[in-house]
Amino acid sequence: MTETSPVGSVGSTGSVGSNRHPVGSELLTDVRAWLDRFICFTNEHDADLLALWIAHTHVANETYTSPRLILDSPMPSAGKTTVLDHISRLAHNPIQAASLSSPALLVRLIEKGIRTICIDEVDRSLAPNKPGVEDLIAIINSGYRKGATRPVLVPNKGGGWNVNEMPTYSPVVMAGNAPDLPDDTRSRCVRVLLMRDLHGIVEDSDWEDIEPEAHAIRDQLHIWAELNRDNIRLSRPTLPEGCIGRSKERWRPLKRVADVAGGTWPKIVDNLIERSLEEDRSEREDGLMREPAAMVLIKDIRTTWGENEIHTPSKTIVSKLITHNPDYWGLSSNYGKALTVQRMGRMMVQSFKLNSERLGDGPRGYRLSSLQPVWRRLGLPPLSETDGTDGTDGTDGGAY
């Protein structure tokens, strides 16, 4: 899908200050060039990501979801606050929130319409041990999808209180030094990594001189957004293979913007998505992305299941798991104790509705025929079964 036909042409050779309607591809190139001028990116592709994210804030009402942006760095003085300063001058209706005193405040900031919420120092303001941080995180998580609300008490004029359902949907950018955010929050985020500019390759952001230029770019973004809201809303762009589920919700808003803007930007977003998917795969292989314990359990059971076994006693499974993955299931695990049959049983019931059972007069354990459907539904290849030996034909008849 392409954007509404512009009147004339604008771009890096003359978009700022032009009276012509902005061309999306050239405008995004202008935004990228502006950011590259003042921000030292660790990876050059992050400039593309940031330009697209800023543009999407102007059409967030049409993109349905809004990926949370993390400005991350392992060290202080890496330029995170500088990036927030630029976002606050280029994004749609921004609000700087250096600290968040309560969930109610965060909700009231967007009570009258979508705003771009810029939160600095999230390594402190959203630290896991901070009182009330769970409610703040819940709003940030829920507010990434259009239609999300939070009940808030509002005083009546004559006394008493009413409960109002206030919207929580808005773009959010969070800056911090390696912030310890929950996994479900990170899964909603795109990330820009920053390092110090040790060689002086970027210009200082002297706002006394450059603020009018930044506002001119913002105004062009607003004009482009007004011209193309319907196109953005109706856009259903094709995403790279494997971009599904939460990844799709993160990346489709940016692909919609790129798809309507045209030029090389759809391909640029595809490259960003493929890079992100590859990073996710690599982190999973390196063990950097934490999976729920039940997922680790069911995968490790599959890995350690004996050849041609149709039923394995629970004690045998536990012993194999501890030997196979001692750091996770042994005495040195974060749980503080070695896995027991009772704990494994609770996890299997709560997560997969699988109960242990006896084979004849033997000890309780788990049937391969009951585990196979679970593995299939989780996208894991089922193990081969010996036809007829356990009284099943290998179909999805087990509990889940």
Side-chain angles (χ1 to χ4, degrees):
M1 181 177 294
T2 56
E3 64 186 61
T4 302
S5 299
V7 179
S9 175
V10 295
S12 58
T13 58
S15 64
V16 177
S18 171
N19 291 323
R20 300 171 178 175
H21 290 179
V23 173
S25 59
E26 296 176 356
L27 181 55
L28 286 175
T29 300
D30 280 345
V31 177
R32 188 203 190 284
W34 175 268
L35 297 170
D36 223 12
R37 179 179 159 191
F38 299 102
I39 300 166
C40 184
F41 293 98
T42 303
N43 188 304
E44 61 179 348
H45 300 295
D46 284 346
D48 298 320
L49 171 58
L50 188 52
L52 285 160
W53 191 88
I54 288 171
H56 112 279
T57 67
H58 291 267
V59 288
N61 201 46
E62 286 71 39
T63 60
Y64 187 73
T65 56
S66 176
R68 277 63 191 100
L69 174 65
I70 295 180
L71 304 177
D72 196 359
S73 175
M75 64 188 75
S77 303
K80 297 180 293 297
T81 302
T82 296
V83 178
L84 284 180
D85 285 342
H86 283 271
I87 290 175
S88 69
R89 288 163 173 86
L90 298 174
H92 170 71
N93 199 13
I95 177 70
Q96 292 260 20
S99 63
L100 296 171
S101 59
S102 71
L105 173 62
L106 181 57
V107 173
R108 291 184 184 281
L109 288 174
I110 54 178
E111 179 180 2
K112 296 182 180 179
I114 289 178
R115 305 191 68 174
T116 303
I117 301 173
C118 305
I119 311 174
D120 203 356
E121 299 183 347
V122 292
D123 47 319
R124 290 197 288 268
S125 60
L126 296 180
N129 57 354
K130 182 179 178 181
V133 74
E134 296 88 353
D135 287 337
L136 290 170
I137 290 292
I139 294 172
I140 291 171
N141 285 352
S142 69
Y144 95 114
R145 184 184 288 127
K146 189 174 179 179
T149 61
R150 178 181 175 84
V152 176
L153 288 174
V154 178
N156 286 327
K157 290 183 179 178
W161 299 84
N162 280 336
V163 177
N164 283 3
E165 291 286 333
M166 293 190 173
T168 60
Y169 177 62
S170 268
V172 174
V173 51
M174 299 172 282
N177 297 321
D180 185 12
L181 297 174
D183 289 342
D184 58 347
T185 302
R186 287 191 174 276
S187 69
R188 293 169 167 84
C189 294
V190 292
R191 177 173 175 256
V192 170
L193 182 63
L194 300 167
M195 295 288 185
R196 291 175 182 170
D197 178 19
L198 298 177
H199 305 290
I201 63 176
V202 297
E203 298 180 31
D204 289 335
S205 298
D206 190 342
W207 291 110
E208 186 176 0
D209 294 329
I210 67 173
E211 192 152 25
E213 292 181 75
H215 286 169
I217 295 175
R218 178 202 59 198
D219 293 343
Q220 291 287 294
L221 285 167
H222 176 74
I223 292 170
W224 180 82
E226 290 299 311
L227 290 171
N228 290 283
R229 291 195 184 281
D230 287 342
N231 285 339
I232 296 288
R233 179 174 52 82
L234 297 173
S235 175
R236 296 295 185 274
T238 301
L239 299 171
E241 184 178 358
C243 188
I244 58 177
R246 189 60 59 77
S247 291
K248 181 179 179 180
E249 291 179 331
R250 277 188 297 164
W251 288 104
R252 187 163 64 174
L254 305 189
K255 184 63 184 287
R256 278 175 149 166
V257 170
D259 190 50
V260 172
T264 61
W265 285 94
K267 180 60 177 175
I268 287 172
V269 179
D270 284 346
N271 290 338
L272 289 170
I273 295 172
E274 289 167 358
R275 183 185 70 159
S276 174
L277 294 175
E278 180 57 35
E279 288 175 352
D280 288 347
R281 283 191 290 269
S282 297
E283 288 179 359
R284 278 194 295 270
E285 291 174 2
D286 292 340
L288 298 178
M289 293 183 70
R290 297 188 297 272
E291 285 189 300
M295 285 295 295
V296 178
L297 175 69
I298 201 69
K299 289 181 179 180
D300 281 356
I301 290 175
R302 182 187 177 280
T303 301
T304 58
W305 193 268
E307 186 177 359
N308 296 326
E309 285 187 3
I310 61 173
H311 178 276
T312 303
S314 297
K315 288 184 178 180
T316 302
I317 294 175
V318 169
S319 178
K320 287 182 176 182
L321 292 174
I322 293 173
T323 301
H324 168 70
N325 194 352
D327 290 339
Y328 205 98
W329 303 117
L331 289 170
S332 61
S333 70
N334 290 335
Y335 191 73
K337 300 177 182 178
L339 182 67
T340 63
V341 169
Q342 292 75 20
R343 181 181 166 217
M344 181 181 72
R346 287 195 300 270
M347 294 170 68
M348 296 290 273
V349 170
Q350 292 171 0
S351 300
F352 308 111
K353 295 184 179 179
L354 285 174
N355 290 290
S356 62
E357 50 189 314
R358 294 185 189 277
L359 189 63
D361 294 329
R364 297 189 70 85
Y366 292 87
R367 286 180 179 265
L368 178 60
S369 58
S370 296
L371 292 165
Q372 295 279 44
V374 178
W375 290 330
R376 289 190 183 99
R377 291 185 176 101
L378 294 175
L380 301 172
L383 300 177
S384 61
E385 298 179 64
T386 303
D387 293 340
T389 57
D390 62 345
T392 72
D393 59 3
T395 59
D396 286 4
Y400 183 62

